[in-house]
């Protein structure tokens, strides 16, 4: 059940404790009596570079294992990677964004030997040439070159147990012969995502509570095929195809509701009911990308063209049932919510490098997207005996046909210069033109007259970028970066439909949401490549989030529905926000690398500034029983303490047994929906490498303390409480087998021109 109440909260919790800095060791090599030292981790003008080939930690690891040990990177769920202070980590391979979905990408990283990697680049503040949104960061994996022809591959199986059991399997193969390279993968699995909820909301006179469970069964299958052909010594042509399908049938919401509200005389009346919802959904994601790359000289100058097509389909049918305490039907709402997205994208990039360590880059992109959402709702009322109140063989639906067209033009220029061995800098700018048109035909949200809504937006944005890096001496380094970015709403956020949790508690998407702006600054100090001080500041203007509005509904015509109080989680632009953090940490190996210690501590300060009084989709406002307006406000500042520790212990001399001990704690802090209470988790892992086999056992959230709780009290007396347990405590057993020539040269992974659009379908 894709219930989006806690998107902001859960997303934020993942962001906060992703504050880990990783290893930066120094490898020493003796040649003819002279000791030479090579930096394994260093800071360049716009990125951190982790020289994996010069580090001993890569042997026997997968790429995913190696990324977890990379400075500034971390994972809290063994699935997704985070960069310190960033919302999200975008994976690049050889300078090109991967065109796999998140789950396939995880499997790819977990099945790729770390020995194939030359270096890992962590770009905390991406330059103007990168198409990223908000405060996203980039992880660029650079593969080794000059590998022999042949075939290699691997197979992986895993089984996870939390409340339910889940299983996954994958198979991948790499083939290279002379100028031709082929890379393919197929993976699939089954799982049930369980959640339990406690929802409380109301005023000083009205109290509403819903308690129960959500179970979301999923079956997934997907894969990718990449073909790379070297046309000449300087040019390559590549074709990539990705496909992923998800089937989620018989997802259920089962909640017991208690409503206490006064009658006409002020006496409290208690009403008990059940919410029993069922949903069937399936989705398909297919994309194809064609890439041409021409190398212009030996310095690294090149010309690159990408063209891509993306087709995304999701079909969702839900049945939302309200029953009285005796389980007699009271009201049923059925929803048919299809979504179809078609996108064509293209990018052109030109990079010219000069012998005086000067680089000039220029390029552009084009995106054309059309989404079609033809939603139909049917409402059925029942008599006291459970029979239908009005039997109509051809009932008329409350429909909403929303079509959204969007065209984006972008162009960028960057200038990069290494002035000396100590000082380097980079400056650039991206200019984007966005033209969008949304049309909605519907009897608009419970209003009697049918409306034709037309929402047209045309806006231009200039997004500057600046960074510099200064090596004070061999032991001290300082760097600064500034960037401005946009965050466009996801296509599902724009589709003006309701997703019901209970009869009077639902989420509301919003076609009027506009793009938000983000301004990021980062100051980094490094000492001996093992000690870190990182200061971050992010300013979000017109941030996109969910806002809870509750009370009795007052229509634009002045009428008030006093029968029932409602709670709407409305997707909208909600004021401004600032996030500031200061993190200090140590990442160092001890006892001849038997222990790799990674410990960080810091503070995060949030400043919220938002006010909302009106549902922007309908013009409804909310009042209490006396007709007094109810406004949702968040002007709260909060400071929280964060501790993270990610440690690897090598248990034997042969480097075949490894023990992992990971822990995080984040203090309570204010977010958009209210006060997020403190979170923590202890995770343990044990891994054994034996020839071509790898056996692993992971136990996550051992103490079962990673449970989200949000509480909010408004000055007007409204309150809202959410407790969401996603059963993160789990044990996973996995088995991986690698076969063939492990020195196969990897296929050139190409950034799909539609990747930025694909991310907005999620």
């Amino acid at each position: 059940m894709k219930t989006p109440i806690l998107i902001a909260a859960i997303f934020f919790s993942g962001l906060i404790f992703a504050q880990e800095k990783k290893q930066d060791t120094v490898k020493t090599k003796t040649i003819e009596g002279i000791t030479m030292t090579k930096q394994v981790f260093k800071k360049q003008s716009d990125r951190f570079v982790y020289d994996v080939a010069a580090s001993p930690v890569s042997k026997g690891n997968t790429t995913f294992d190696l990324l977890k040990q990379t400075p500034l990177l971390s994972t809290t769920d063994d699935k997704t990677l985070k960069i310190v202070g960033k919302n999200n980590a975008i994976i690049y391979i050889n300078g090109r964004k991967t065109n796999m979905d998140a789950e396939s990408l995880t499997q790819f990283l977990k099945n790729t030997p770390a020995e194939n990697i030359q270096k890992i680049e962590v770009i905390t503040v991406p330059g103007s040439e990168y198409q990223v949104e908000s405060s996203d960061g980039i992880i660029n994996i650079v593969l080794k070159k000059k590998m022999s022809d042949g075939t290699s591959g691997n197979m992986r199986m895993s089984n996870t147990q939390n409340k339910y059991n889940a299983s996954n399997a994958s198979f991948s193969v790499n083939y290279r012969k002379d100028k031709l390279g082929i890379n393919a993968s197929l993976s699939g699995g089954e799982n049930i995502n369980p959640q339990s909820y406690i929802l409380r909301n109301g005023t000083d006179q009205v109290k509403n509570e819903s308690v129960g469970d959500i179970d979301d069964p999923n079956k997934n299958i997907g894969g990718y095929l990449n073909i790379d052909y070297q046309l000449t010594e300087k040019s390559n042509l590549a074709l990539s195809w990705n496909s992923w399908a998800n089937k989620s049938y018989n997802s259920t919401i089962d909640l017991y509701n208690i409503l206490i509200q006064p009658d006409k005389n002020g006496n409290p009346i208690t009403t008990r009911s059940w919410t029993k919802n069922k949903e069937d959904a399936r989705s398909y994601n297919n994309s194809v990308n064609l890439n041409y790359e021409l190398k212009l000289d030996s310095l690294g100058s090149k010309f690159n063209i990408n063209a891509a097509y993306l087709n995304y389909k999701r079909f969702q049918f839900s049945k939302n049932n309200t029953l009285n305490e005796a389980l007699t039907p009271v009201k049923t709402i059925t929803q048919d919510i299809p979504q179809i997205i078609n996108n064509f994208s293209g990018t052109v990039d030109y990079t010219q490098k000069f012998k005086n360590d000067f680089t000039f880059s220029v390029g552009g992109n084009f995106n054309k997207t059309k989404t079609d959402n033809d939603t139909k709702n049917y409402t059925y009322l029942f008599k006291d005996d459970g029979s239908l109140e009005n039997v109509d063989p051809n009932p008329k639906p409350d429909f909403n046909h929303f079509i959204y067209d969007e065209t984006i033009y972008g162009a960028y220029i960057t200038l990069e210069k290494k002035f000396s061995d100590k000082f380097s800098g980079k400056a650039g700018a991206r200019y984007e033109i966005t033209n969008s048109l949304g049309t909605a035909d519907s009897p608009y949200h419970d209003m009697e007259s049918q409306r034709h809504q037309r929402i047209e937006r045309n806006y231009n944005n200039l997004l500057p970028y600046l960074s510099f890096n200064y090596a004070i001496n061999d032991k001290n380094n300082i760097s600064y970066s500034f960037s401005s970015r946009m965050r466009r709403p996801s296509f599902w956020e724009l589709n003006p439909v309701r997703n019901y949790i209970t009869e009077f508690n639902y989420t509301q998407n919003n076609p009027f949401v506009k793009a938000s702006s983000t301004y990021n600054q980062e100051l980094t100090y490094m000492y001996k490549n093992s000690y870190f001080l990182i200061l971050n500041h992010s300013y979000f203007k017109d941030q996109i989030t969910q806002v809870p509005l509750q009370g009795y509904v007052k229509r634009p015509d002045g009428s008030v529905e006093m029968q029932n109080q409602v709670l709407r989680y409305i997707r909208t632009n909600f004021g401004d926000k600032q996030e500031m953090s200061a993190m200090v940490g140590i990442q160092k190996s001890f006892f001849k690398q038997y222990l790799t210690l990674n410990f960080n501590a810091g503070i995060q300060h949030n400043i919220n500034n938002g006010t909302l009084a009106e549902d922007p989709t309908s013009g409804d406002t909310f009042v209490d029983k006396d007709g007094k307006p109810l406004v949702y406000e968040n002007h709260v500042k909060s400071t929280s303490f964060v501790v993270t520790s990610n440690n690897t212990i090598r248990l034997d001399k042969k480097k075949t047994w490894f023990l992992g001990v990971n822990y995080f704690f984040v203090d309570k802090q204010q977010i958009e929906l209210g006060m997020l209470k403190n979170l923590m988790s202890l995770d343990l892992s044990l891994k054994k490498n034996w020839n071509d086999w790898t056996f692993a056992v992971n136990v996550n959230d051992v103490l079962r303390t990673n449970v989200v709780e949000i509480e909010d009290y408004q000055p007007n007396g409204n309150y809202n409480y959410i407790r969401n347990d996603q059963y993160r405590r789990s044990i996973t057993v996995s088995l991986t087998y690698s076969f063939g020539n492990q020195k196969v040269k990897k296929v050139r992974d190409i950034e799909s021109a539609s990747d930025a659009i694909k991310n907005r379908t999620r």
Side-chain angles (χ1 to χ4, degrees):
M1 184 70 62
K2 310 301 186 286
T3 308
I5 300 179
L6 295 180
I7 286 179
I10 297 170
F11 178 78
F12 187 85
S13 64
L15 163 67
I16 284 302
F17 46 72
Q19 308 293 323
E20 304 186 21
K21 289 103 181 152
K22 300 290 180 178
Q23 180 178 7
D24 182 31
T25 59
V26 175
K27 186 178 180 182
T28 302
K29 185 177 182 180
T30 302
I31 301 178
E32 296 180 354
I34 301 175
T35 300
M36 301 181 64
T37 301
K38 182 174 182 179
Q39 288 184 333
V40 175
F41 186 67
K42 58 185 177 180
K43 182 69 169 67
Q44 292 183 346
S45 61
D46 68 337
R47 66 194 64 193
F48 298 86
V49 180
Y50 184 32
D51 191 347
V52 177
S55 172
V57 301
S58 62
K59 294 182 179 180
N61 276 334
T62 67
T63 299
F64 194 86
D65 294 329
L66 187 61
L67 289 171
K68 291 194 295 184
Q69 300 180 53
T70 300
L72 307 179
L73 304 185
S74 66
T75 180
T76 59
D77 56 7
D78 203 43
K79 296 178 182 179
T80 55
L81 293 159
K82 298 286 183 180
I83 302 176
V84 55
K86 302 299 169 186
N87 287 352
N88 193 20
I90 308 298
I91 303 295
Y92 277 57
I93 298 179
N94 289 341
R96 294 294 169 186
K97 189 185 297 183
T98 54
N99 51 5
M100 288 172 276
D101 61 90
E103 189 168 347
S104 296
L105 178 60
T106 299
Q107 295 301 320
F108 173 79
L109 296 176
K110 288 185 175 181
N111 290 306
T112 301
E115 289 87 347
N116 289 355
I117 299 175
Q118 177 68 33
K119 61 183 177 179
I120 297 172
E121 299 176 338
V122 181
I123 308 173
T124 55
V125 184
S128 302
E129 67 272 27
Y130 295 102
Q131 296 183 60
V132 296
E133 295 196 350
S134 189
S135 59
D136 292 348
I138 291 175
I139 302 170
N140 183 35
I141 302 170
V142 180
L143 300 174
K144 291 180 179 178
K145 300 179 180 180
K146 297 181 180 179
M147 298 182 185
S148 60
D149 291 345
T151 303
S152 70
N154 50 67
M155 296 178 289
R156 185 177 187 273
M157 295 179 292
S158 67
N159 190 273
T160 301
Q161 182 69 48
N162 51 16
K163 182 179 180 180
Y164 302 107
N165 189 265
S167 59
N168 291 276
S170 64
F171 173 81
S172 64
V173 62
N174 302 289
Y175 171 79
R176 177 160 289 277
K177 180 64 175 178
D178 298 329
K179 297 181 179 180
L180 176 65
I182 300 175
N183 174 247
S185 178
L186 179 66
S187 60
E190 294 187 30
N191 67 284
I192 301 176
N193 293 327
Q195 299 183 59
S196 67
Y197 271 103
I198 299 177
L199 306 172
R200 299 191 185 107
N201 66 279
T203 66
D204 54 349
Q205 295 181 334
V206 179
K207 304 183 187 306
N208 189 24
E209 180 181 82
S210 299
V211 180
D213 300 306
I214 296 177
D215 289 335
D216 182 23
N218 288 271
K219 294 182 179 180
N220 301 286
I221 187 170
Y224 59 87
L225 173 66
N226 300 329
I227 302 174
D228 189 330
Y229 186 76
Q230 185 177 352
L231 298 173
T232 66
E233 291 184 358
K234 295 184 177 181
S235 61
N236 284 76
L237 186 67
L239 178 68
S240 301
W241 173 69
N242 284 271
S243 182
W244 191 256
N246 171 271
K247 182 180 179 181
S248 177
Y249 278 18
N250 201 32
S251 295
T252 58
I253 293 180
D254 195 349
L255 299 174
Y256 183 63
N257 313 303
I258 300 177
L259 173 64
I260 303 176
Q261 58 183 343
D263 60 13
K264 295 180 180 180
N265 299 320
N267 300 316
I269 297 178
T270 300
T271 303
R272 293 177 171 85
S273 65
W274 286 90
T275 296
K276 292 183 178 292
N277 299 348
K278 179 182 176 181
E279 178 185 282
D280 292 337
R282 65 188 191 277
S283 61
Y284 309 92
N285 195 319
N286 288 278
S287 63
V288 61
N289 184 82
L290 183 65
N291 169 262
Y292 173 76
E293 182 180 88
L294 175 64
K295 298 179 181 178
L296 302 176
D297 55 41
S298 60
L299 297 176
S301 303
K302 61 183 179 179
F303 177 73
N304 202 298
I305 301 177
N306 277 286
Y309 172 73
L310 166 70
N311 177 255
Y312 174 83
K313 297 180 180 179
R314 175 174 171 81
F315 304 98
Q316 174 184 334
F317 180 82
S318 62
K319 190 175 183 180
N320 309 280
N321 299 297
T322 300
L323 306 94
N324 62 24
E325 191 173 16
L327 296 178
T328 302
V330 176
K331 185 177 184 179
T332 294
I333 300 174
T334 64
Q335 292 184 293
D336 188 4
I337 310 176
Q339 183 178 53
I340 299 174
I341 300 174
N342 287 283
N343 166 262
F344 174 78
S345 307
T347 61
V348 177
D349 301 281
Y350 170 74
T351 301
Q352 180 66 54
K353 296 195 173 186
F354 300 90
K355 293 183 179 180
N356 60 350
D357 292 323
F358 175 73
T359 302
F360 168 79
S361 300
V362 65
N365 65 280
F366 168 80
N367 283 287
K368 176 67 175 179
T369 307
K370 181 177 182 178
T371 71
D372 192 331
N373 312 269
D374 192 5
T375 303
K376 294 181 176 64
N377 296 345
Y378 295 86
T379 301
Y380 303 92
L381 300 177
F382 295 85
K383 300 178 182 178
D384 293 339
D385 60 0
S387 61
L388 280 172
E389 187 172 294
N390 294 312
V391 181
D392 187 348
N394 297 303
K396 294 182 179 180
D398 178 8
F399 65 89
N400 176 62
H401 192 186
F402 180 69
I403 297 177
Y404 181 75
D405 288 287
E406 180 184 81
T407 304
I408 301 172
Y409 306 90
Y412 73 87
I413 182 173
T414 61
L415 305 173
E416 186 173 5
K417 172 67 175 176
K418 184 177 180 181
F419 297 95
S420 66
D421 291 337
K422 289 187 175 183
F423 183 73
S424 61
K426 185 176 181 180
R430 170 175 284 272
Y431 186 71
E432 295 183 342
I433 301 173
T434 304
N435 300 322
S436 67
L437 174 63
T439 59
D441 289 304
S442 65
Y444 204 69
H445 295 307
D446 301 333
M447 299 188 71
E448 294 181 359
S449 61
Q450 179 172 320
R451 289 187 178 182
H452 177 79
Q453 292 286 325
R454 180 183 174 91
I455 305 122
E456 185 174 2
R457 284 203 174 95
N458 301 305
Y459 51 92
N460 307 332
N461 296 87
L462 180 64
L463 309 171
Y465 169 85
L466 174 68
S467 71
F468 69 81
N469 183 70
Y470 180 65
I472 302 172
N473 51 43
D474 293 340
K475 296 181 180 179
N476 298 274
N477 184 284
I478 189 171
S479 62
Y480 170 80
S481 297
F482 167 82
S483 75
S484 58
R485 293 288 178 180
M486 296 177 59
R487 195 276 210 195
R488 295 181 178 88
S490 300
F491 298 120
W492 64 266
E493 294 176 304
L494 294 170
N495 183 20
V497 299
R498 294 174 179 174
N499 288 283
Y500 285 89
I501 305 158
T502 67
E503 182 180 3
F504 304 109
N505 188 331
Y506 53 84
T507 63
Q508 173 72 65
N509 295 336
N510 180 7
F512 301 101
V513 174
K514 61 182 181 181
S516 64
S517 301
T518 305
Y519 304 90
N520 304 300
Q521 295 187 81
E522 180 179 279
L523 181 65
T524 303
Y525 169 72
M526 298 176 61
Y527 176 67
K528 288 186 176 181
N529 295 320
S530 295
Y531 305 91
F532 304 86
L533 169 63
I534 300 181
L535 306 177
N536 282 291
H537 177 270
S538 295
Y539 174 70
F540 303 87
K541 183 179 180 181
D542 297 322
Q543 64 168 330
I544 303 172
T545 187
Q546 282 180 332
V547 178
L549 286 180
Q550 64 175 314
Y552 297 102
V553 176
K554 183 178 181 180
R555 299 298 187 187
D557 61 7
S559 61
V560 180
E561 295 183 2
M562 298 297 296
Q563 185 176 358
N564 293 290
Q565 182 172 277
V566 303
L567 170 61
R568 300 179 187 175
Y569 292 94
I570 299 172
R571 181 68 54 174
T572 190
N573 298 99
F574 186 64
D576 304 334
K577 179 180 179 180
Q578 295 186 68
E579 294 179 355
M580 290 163 277
S581 65
M583 300 294 296
V584 294
I586 176 176
Q587 209 295 328
K588 195 173 181 63
S589 293
F590 299 92
F591 311 115
K592 297 182 179 180
Q593 297 181 343
Y594 271 88
L595 170 64
T596 301
L597 175 65
N598 178 7
F599 178 81
N600 312 289
I603 57 174
Q604 172 121 2
H605 183 65
N606 297 339
I607 301 176
N608 300 275
N609 184 25
T611 301
L612 187 68
E614 178 182 298
D615 184 341
T617 65
S618 62
D620 294 343
T621 56
F622 298 82
V623 299
D624 61 15
K625 68 179 185 64
D626 298 321
K628 183 180 178 180
L630 297 174
V631 179
Y632 183 81
E633 297 180 275
N634 189 345
H635 305 289
V636 180
K637 301 177 182 179
S638 67
T639 302
S640 60
F641 182 64
V642 179
V643 175
T644 63
S645 182
N646 189 350
N647 311 289
T648 302
I649 303 171
R650 179 161 56 90
L651 301 177
D652 63 340
K653 293 183 179 180
K654 296 182 179 180
K655 300 180 181 179
T656 63
W657 285 94
F658 297 89
L659 174 66
V661 181
N662 303 323
Y663 174 80
F664 76 81
F665 170 82
V666 55
D667 201 3
K668 66 179 182 179
Q669 56 197 281
Q670 184 75 17
I671 62 173
E672 291 82 1
L673 291 178
M675 184 64 69
L676 174 66
K677 296 188 177 181
N678 60 60
L679 295 163
M680 68 176 179
S681 180
L682 173 65
D683 306 329
L684 304 174
S685 64
L686 183 65
K687 184 181 71 173
K688 167 64 176 177
N689 294 326
W690 180 62
N691 296 328
D692 295 328
W693 298 84
T694 300
F695 305 87
V697 178
N698 296 274
V699 183
N700 295 321
D701 196 15
V702 176
L703 305 177
R704 199 178 179 184
T705 51
N706 194 0
V707 178
V708 173
E709 285 189 82
I710 304 172
E711 196 165 33
D712 178 67
Y713 290 92
Q714 290 290 304
N716 56 29
N718 283 4
Y719 74 92
N720 192 22
Y721 171 82
I722 302 170
R723 185 183 189 275
N724 178 226
D725 184 358
Q726 297 190 39
Y727 298 90
R728 297 185 185 273
R729 184 167 67 179
S730 65
I731 180 170
T732 300
V733 179
S734 64
L735 172 65
T736 304
Y737 173 69
S738 301
F739 61 88
N741 178 10
Q742 298 303 314
K743 294 184 179 181
V744 172
K745 182 178 179 182
K746 297 294 178 180
V747 173
R748 196 165 52 97
D749 283 81
I750 305 301
E751 174 189 0
S752 170
S754 64
D755 280 327
I757 298 298
K758 191 184 303 181
N759 291 335
R760 294 169 65 195
T761 66
R762 301 170 185 169

